[in-house]
Amino acid sequence: MEKIFGKKLLSEKKGDNSSRTASGYKITQDDIKKVNLYNKGVNKMSEEKFEDAIRCFDLSLRIDPFFVDALIKKGYSHFLLKQYSVAITIFDQVLEIDINNPEVWNLKGLVFYKSKNYEKAIECCEKAIDFNPNNSMAWYNYACYLTLDGRSTKGMEALKKSIELDIANAKKAVKDRDFTNARMEEDYKRIIEVVILESIRQGNDYLGKIVWITGLDREEIQDATTRLANKGLLIKNVKKTFTGKDEQYELTKELISKIGVEKRNSQSRRHEGKKEVFFSTQQLKDISAILYESSESSERGDLNSLLQNIDKLLNPILHGTLILDNFFEEHRELRLFNSRLRERGQEYLNSNKEEISKFMLDMDKKIRG
């Protein structure tokens, strides 16, 4: 979405009550009203009050019928209400205004997907990718639709492209039922291997833990770890437990030197219950970047962006395990902020912007220190 009072949101009307931005665009009273109504609608969406959100977008569109952002959010609200035919009609209105909008093509594809019209969904994704080849979500959706349509090989090619653009899509894919038909594909098996290696790197080195973290079947994990062991990427051991035996894994030294690892210190664990953690430089950079972006999102009052960043910090497959084991108090505060932001939404963020922003910056200093 364009920034508020950016090019797309502004009217070119002239009048006594207008002012000019630094970029030369006119800001009228109607511009201010329509944007305020739009923002109110977005807040209603975050509260899952979609009917109220639609009313706000309708009022905004009365002022400017070509307000693309309001049309998109209105269409998405109808989609969330499962009013698929209405959503398609609205997205088509947007495309009449902006035929090259990849976001709308992607959303239109999502509607067809929910209606199980995979052929139409695939066509929409192809349009979205044509207009923005670096849209990882469009590639991911394209992979889902192709696989569901029985074209697993081509679906795996799209999924690999999606993962190249955003590695988080690998973790999502192994839990996604849309790829059930592709589980025997070699490319899909390699994606499972990547997710398992990342899980082990994060310290989840037992079969039972990897099952819990990834949601994969035990047989899939055992098959993948056998392949990884044969490739010389990990070592498999069998450990005795109170309930019998469990497989335990460790990465080879060559792989650790490339990707870093959280390595447990057996002596300190036995006596103190603590971990000795080895941070990779990339891990520190990633966490620091997320914390800084979280602080910025809080300052801007951007609820969706802030929640997405907190999710990255809490997600055990990403950085959650590392933060929980080494910065327990900060992890607890993150969980508390996450809970209150999801319960009270924009109202809570508006009242606690400075506190949340300062916490993120302080946490960043502590981790880097």
Side-chain angles (χ1 to χ4, degrees), residues 2-19:
E2 296 284 339
K3 292 182 179 179
I4 294 175
F5 295 141
K7 181 176 180 181
K8 234 163 70 173
L9 303 186
L10 290 179
S11 167
E12 292 296 331
K13 298 174 184 176
K14 297 180 180 179
D16 296 334
N17 293 326
S18 67
S19 59

Side-chain angles (χ1 to χ4, degrees), residues 29-46:
Q29 290 300 314
D30 281 349
D31 288 324
I32 295 170
K33 288 178 184 177
K34 77 175 185 183
V35 171
N36 286 341
L37 286 165
Y38 169 82
N39 288 335
K40 185 176 179 181
V42 172
N43 289 338
K44 292 296 182 183
M45 287 184 73
S46 68

Side-chain angles (χ1 to χ4, degrees), residues 7 44 58 77 172 178 260 282 297 308 312 322 329:
K7 181 176 180 181
K44 292 296 182 183
D58 280 336
S77 295
K172 187 189 303 182
D178 288 345
Q282 190 58 50
S297 298
Q308 287 173 7
K312 293 177 185 176
L322 184 107
E329 297 293 332

Side-chain angles (χ1 to χ4, degrees), residues 111-306:
V111 179
F112 284 124
Y113 159 75
K114 286 293 185 180
S115 305
K116 300 190 183 300
N117 189 340
Y118 302 130
E119 187 174 347
K120 286 285 189 183
I122 289 168
E123 291 175 4
C124 290
C125 270
E126 288 172 343
K127 290 285 189 181
I129 291 167
D130 284 343
F131 295 127
N132 183 5
N134 295 320
N135 187 329
S136 68
M137 184 50 61
W139 279 105
Y140 184 88
N141 289 342
Y142 189 41
C144 291
Y145 308 156
L146 286 166
T147 304
L148 289 167
D149 199 45
R151 293 182 259 175
S152 297
T153 301
K154 193 171 181 181
M156 290 302 97
E157 292 175 3
L159 182 57
K160 284 193 294 183
K161 179 63 177 179
S162 169
I163 292 169
E164 288 173 8
L165 294 167
D166 185 354
I167 188 63
N169 287 333
K171 303 173 182 67
K172 187 189 303 182
V174 299
K175 295 183 179 181
D176 197 328
R177 294 180 181 178
D178 288 345
F179 295 114
T180 299
N181 296 336
R183 287 187 178 273
M184 298 309 296
E185 294 280 340
E186 284 301 314
D187 287 334
Y188 187 80
K189 290 180 180 179
R190 280 193 280 271
I191 291 166
I192 291 177
E193 291 173 8
V194 170
V195 172
I196 289 174
L197 286 174
E198 177 64 12
S199 179
I200 296 170
R201 189 186 73 81
Q202 293 282 351
N204 304 295
D205 51 0
Y206 277 86
L207 174 60
K209 291 183 179 179
I210 297 174
V211 170
W212 181 77
I213 287 291
T214 64
L216 290 165
D217 294 334
R218 295 175 70 90
E219 293 76 13
E220 283 183 307
I221 296 171
Q222 289 173 318
D223 181 51
T225 52
T226 298
R227 293 197 304 273
L228 289 166
N230 291 337
K231 294 175 183 178
L233 297 175
L234 63 78
I235 301 167
K236 295 178 71 169
N237 301 300
V238 178
K239 300 287 186 178
K240 291 183 179 180
T241 67
F242 290 110
T243 58
K245 296 180 180 180
D246 196 4
E247 289 187 6
Q248 188 263 342
Y249 314 105
E250 57 181 295
L251 305 181
T252 59
K253 291 181 180 179
E254 292 79 6
L255 189 57
I256 290 171
S257 67
K258 294 178 181 178
I259 66 175
V261 68
E262 295 174 34
K263 185 175 180 182
R264 296 178 185 275
N265 184 311
S266 59
Q267 184 175 0
S268 65
R269 181 180 59 204
R270 185 164 56 249
H271 296 293
E272 301 175 12
K274 294 183 179 179
K275 280 185 180 180
E276 180 182 353
V277 179
F278 294 84
F279 294 89
S280 71
T281 302
Q282 190 58 50
Q283 276 179 296
L284 291 174
K285 287 181 178 179
D286 288 348
I287 294 173
S288 180
I290 294 169
L291 287 167
Y292 180 78
E293 190 176 335
S294 298
S295 175
E296 291 287 298
S297 298
S298 179
E299 289 286 350
R300 295 195 308 267
D302 189 339
L303 177 63
N304 290 334
S305 176
L306 179 58

